[in-house]
mmCIF file of all heavy atoms in Angstrom:
data_model
loop_
_atom_site.group_PDB
_atom_site.id
_atom_site.type_symbol
_atom_site.label_atom_id
_atom_site.label_comp_id
_atom_site.label_asym_id
_atom_site.label_seq_id
_atom_site.Cartn_x
_atom_site.Cartn_y
_atom_site.Cartn_z
ATOM 1 N N GLU A 425 -0.251 74.702 -37.195
ATOM 2 C CA GLU A 425 0.418 74.786 -38.491
ATOM 3 C C GLU A 425 1.842 75.302 -38.346
ATOM 4 O O GLU A 425 2.755 74.840 -39.015
ATOM 5 C CB GLU A 425 -0.392 75.657 -39.468
ATOM 6 C CG GLU A 425 -1.671 74.997 -39.975
ATOM 7 C CD GLU A 425 -1.469 73.567 -40.517
ATOM 8 O OE1 GLU A 425 -0.523 73.335 -41.282
ATOM 9 O OE2 GLU A 425 -2.261 72.676 -40.141
ATOM 10 N N GLN A 426 2.019 76.286 -37.441
ATOM 11 C CA GLN A 426 3.384 76.771 -37.193
ATOM 12 C C GLN A 426 4.256 75.658 -36.639
ATOM 13 O O GLN A 426 5.387 75.461 -37.056
ATOM 14 C CB GLN A 426 3.370 77.930 -36.186
ATOM 15 C CG GLN A 426 2.979 79.268 -36.791
ATOM 16 C CD GLN A 426 2.958 80.355 -35.730
ATOM 17 O OE1 GLN A 426 2.569 80.120 -34.593
ATOM 18 N NE2 GLN A 426 3.367 81.557 -36.112
ATOM 19 N N TYR A 429 5.019 73.093 -39.286
ATOM 20 C CA TYR A 429 5.974 73.656 -40.254
ATOM 21 C C TYR A 429 7.404 73.519 -39.732
ATOM 22 O O TYR A 429 8.286 73.020 -40.426
ATOM 23 C CB TYR A 429 5.635 75.124 -40.505
ATOM 24 C CG TYR A 429 6.418 75.761 -41.635
ATOM 25 C CD1 TYR A 429 6.277 75.305 -42.938
ATOM 26 C CD2 TYR A 429 7.280 76.825 -41.409
ATOM 27 C CE1 TYR A 429 6.986 75.892 -43.985
ATOM 28 C CE2 TYR A 429 7.989 77.415 -42.444
ATOM 29 C CZ TYR A 429 7.831 76.945 -43.729
ATOM 30 O OH TYR A 429 8.539 77.526 -44.759
ATOM 31 N N GLN A 431 8.458 71.576 -37.278
ATOM 32 C CA GLN A 431 8.803 70.163 -37.082
ATOM 33 C C GLN A 431 9.174 69.511 -38.395
ATOM 34 O O GLN A 431 10.111 68.719 -38.466
ATOM 35 C CB GLN A 431 7.624 69.413 -36.462
ATOM 36 C CG GLN A 431 7.532 69.580 -34.969
ATOM 37 C CD GLN A 431 6.543 68.592 -34.400
ATOM 38 O OE1 GLN A 431 5.345 68.736 -34.579
ATOM 39 N NE2 GLN A 431 7.033 67.572 -33.728
ATOM 40 N N SER A 432 8.459 69.856 -39.444
ATOM 41 C CA SER A 432 8.760 69.215 -40.719
ATOM 42 C C SER A 432 10.022 69.806 -41.344
ATOM 43 O O SER A 432 10.414 69.462 -42.440
ATOM 44 C CB SER A 432 7.579 69.309 -41.680
ATOM 45 O OG SER A 432 7.437 70.631 -42.106
ATOM 46 N N ARG A 433 10.670 70.713 -40.594
ATOM 47 C CA ARG A 433 12.001 71.166 -41.010
ATOM 48 C C ARG A 433 13.061 70.594 -40.072
ATOM 49 O O ARG A 433 14.161 71.108 -39.949
ATOM 50 C CB ARG A 433 12.064 72.703 -41.013
ATOM 51 C CG ARG A 433 11.166 73.339 -42.061
ATOM 52 C CD ARG A 433 11.489 72.859 -43.469
ATOM 53 N NE ARG A 433 10.562 73.357 -44.487
ATOM 54 C CZ ARG A 433 9.574 72.647 -45.000
ATOM 55 N NH1 ARG A 433 9.355 71.406 -44.606
ATOM 56 N NH2 ARG A 433 8.791 73.159 -45.916
ATOM 57 N N GLY A 434 12.669 69.557 -39.335
ATOM 58 C CA GLY A 434 13.650 68.822 -38.531
ATOM 59 C C GLY A 434 13.801 69.307 -37.101
ATOM 60 O O GLY A 434 14.645 68.814 -36.364
ATOM 61 N N ASP B 80 9.446 65.713 -37.187
ATOM 62 C CA ASP B 80 10.853 66.144 -37.254
ATOM 63 C C ASP B 80 11.789 64.956 -37.457
ATOM 64 O O ASP B 80 12.813 65.069 -38.126
ATOM 65 C CB ASP B 80 11.243 66.936 -36.000
ATOM 66 C CG ASP B 80 11.042 66.155 -34.714
ATOM 67 O OD1 ASP B 80 9.889 65.833 -34.399
ATOM 68 O OD2 ASP B 80 12.041 65.854 -34.041
ATOM 69 N N THR B 83 11.790 64.073 -41.093
ATOM 70 C CA THR B 83 12.622 65.017 -41.846
ATOM 71 C C THR B 83 14.095 64.681 -41.667
ATOM 72 O O THR B 83 14.869 64.720 -42.624
ATOM 73 C CB THR B 83 12.348 66.455 -41.373
ATOM 74 O OG1 THR B 83 10.959 66.716 -41.520
ATOM 75 C CG2 THR B 83 13.142 67.457 -42.183
ATOM 76 N N LYS B 84 14.452 64.345 -40.443
ATOM 77 C CA LYS B 84 15.854 64.017 -40.182
ATOM 78 C C LYS B 84 16.285 62.769 -40.952
ATOM 79 O O LYS B 84 17.458 62.623 -41.294
ATOM 80 C CB LYS B 84 16.072 63.809 -38.676
ATOM 81 C CG LYS B 84 16.074 65.120 -37.904
ATOM 82 C CD LYS B 84 16.023 64.853 -36.405
ATOM 83 C CE LYS B 84 15.920 66.176 -35.647
ATOM 84 N NZ LYS B 84 15.300 65.988 -34.335
ATOM 85 N N LEU B 89 8.726 67.970 -46.898
ATOM 86 C CA LEU B 89 7.437 68.403 -47.434
ATOM 87 C C LEU B 89 7.489 69.893 -47.742
ATOM 88 O O LEU B 89 7.627 70.714 -46.836
ATOM 89 C CB LEU B 89 6.317 68.112 -46.416
ATOM 90 C CG LEU B 89 4.923 68.645 -46.762
ATOM 91 C CD1 LEU B 89 4.399 68.045 -48.058
ATOM 92 C CD2 LEU B 89 3.937 68.376 -45.628
ATOM 93 N N GLU B 96 3.984 81.744 -41.566
ATOM 94 C CA GLU B 96 4.815 82.861 -41.101
ATOM 95 C C GLU B 96 5.223 82.649 -39.648
ATOM 96 O O GLU B 96 4.419 82.210 -38.831
ATOM 97 C CB GLU B 96 4.033 84.176 -41.211
ATOM 98 C CG GLU B 96 3.600 84.467 -42.637
ATOM 99 C CD GLU B 96 2.923 85.823 -42.788
ATOM 100 O OE1 GLU B 96 2.787 86.546 -41.780
ATOM 101 O OE2 GLU B 96 2.547 86.143 -43.925
ATOM 102 N N SER B 109 17.332 74.474 -38.703
ATOM 103 C CA SER B 109 16.813 73.325 -39.423
ATOM 104 C C SER B 109 17.969 72.482 -39.972
ATOM 105 O O SER B 109 18.035 71.268 -39.760
ATOM 106 C CB SER B 109 15.909 73.841 -40.549
ATOM 107 O OG SER B 109 15.651 72.838 -41.481
ATOM 108 N N GLU B 162 10.609 77.728 -49.895
ATOM 109 C CA GLU B 162 10.421 76.287 -49.689
ATOM 110 C C GLU B 162 11.490 75.497 -50.450
ATOM 111 O O GLU B 162 12.066 74.543 -49.926
ATOM 112 C CB GLU B 162 9.021 75.846 -50.165
ATOM 113 C CG GLU B 162 7.870 76.398 -49.346
ATOM 114 C CD GLU B 162 7.886 75.917 -47.911
ATOM 115 O OE1 GLU B 162 7.617 74.734 -47.665
ATOM 116 O OE2 GLU B 162 8.203 76.739 -47.043
ATOM 117 N N GLN B 165 14.761 75.707 -48.818
ATOM 118 C CA GLN B 165 14.843 74.775 -47.678
ATOM 119 C C GLN B 165 15.136 73.364 -48.157
ATOM 120 O O GLN B 165 15.918 72.627 -47.562
ATOM 121 C CB GLN B 165 13.538 74.809 -46.875
ATOM 122 C CG GLN B 165 13.352 76.108 -46.122
ATOM 123 C CD GLN B 165 11.934 76.308 -45.640
ATOM 124 O OE1 GLN B 165 11.299 75.379 -45.174
ATOM 125 N NE2 GLN B 165 11.429 77.513 -45.774
#
Side-chain angles (χ1 to χ4, degrees):
Chain A
E425 288 310 314
Q426 281 179 323
Y429 189 64
Q431 278 192 288
S432 71
R433 294 302 175 259
Chain B
D80 58 295
T83 303
K84 285 169 184 155
L89 174 61
E96 300 185 0
S109 165
E162 293 296 289
Q165 290 165 41

